[in-house]
Amino acid sequence: MSFKEFDKLEEKINRLIAGLKALRDENQKLKKELQGVKQDSSQRDSEKSEIRKKIASLIDLVDSIGE
């Protein structure tokens, strides 16, 4: 191989490494985002559960008044 070919190979490897680093950074960012979304979803599920309990309790109260 000539030096010119080694230079081209080195350039391609450097681009691959830079791309890999960019993908790793993006992956970390997306993982953090996903974790936040999961926490939000969990909190919403908990709130929905509480709302359902309160509604069921109110329905029971209304039913007991009608009896």
Side-chain angles (χ1 to χ4, degrees), residues 29-46:
K29 177 184 165 193
L30 290 172
K31 282 181 179 181
K32 286 179 184 177
E33 251 182 71
L34 180 59
Q35 184 179 9
V37 168
K38 284 181 179 180
Q39 286 175 346
D40 289 347
S41 177
S42 177
Q43 183 177 357
R44 282 191 205 111
D45 288 345
S46 177

Side-chain angles (χ1 to χ4, degrees), residues 7-67:
D7 288 342
K8 285 182 183 180
L9 179 60
E10 181 181 13
E11 183 182 320
K12 287 180 181 182
I13 290 172
N14 285 333
R15 279 188 279 158
L16 283 171
I17 291 170
L20 178 62
K21 286 179 181 178
L23 288 172
R24 282 185 178 168
D25 291 344
E26 181 70 13
N27 190 34
Q28 286 298 99
K29 177 184 165 193
L30 290 172
K31 282 181 179 181
K32 286 179 184 177
E33 251 182 71
L34 180 59
Q35 184 179 9
V37 168
K38 284 181 179 180
Q39 286 175 346
D40 289 347
S41 177
S42 177
Q43 183 177 357
R44 282 191 205 111
D45 288 345
S46 177
E47 289 171 356
K48 284 180 187 178
S49 178
E50 283 298 313
I51 290 169
R52 285 188 180 111
K53 287 178 187 176
K54 287 180 181 182
I55 290 173
S57 151
L58 289 171
I59 289 172
D60 289 344
L61 180 61
V62 169
D63 286 346
S64 72
I65 292 172
E67 293 176 357

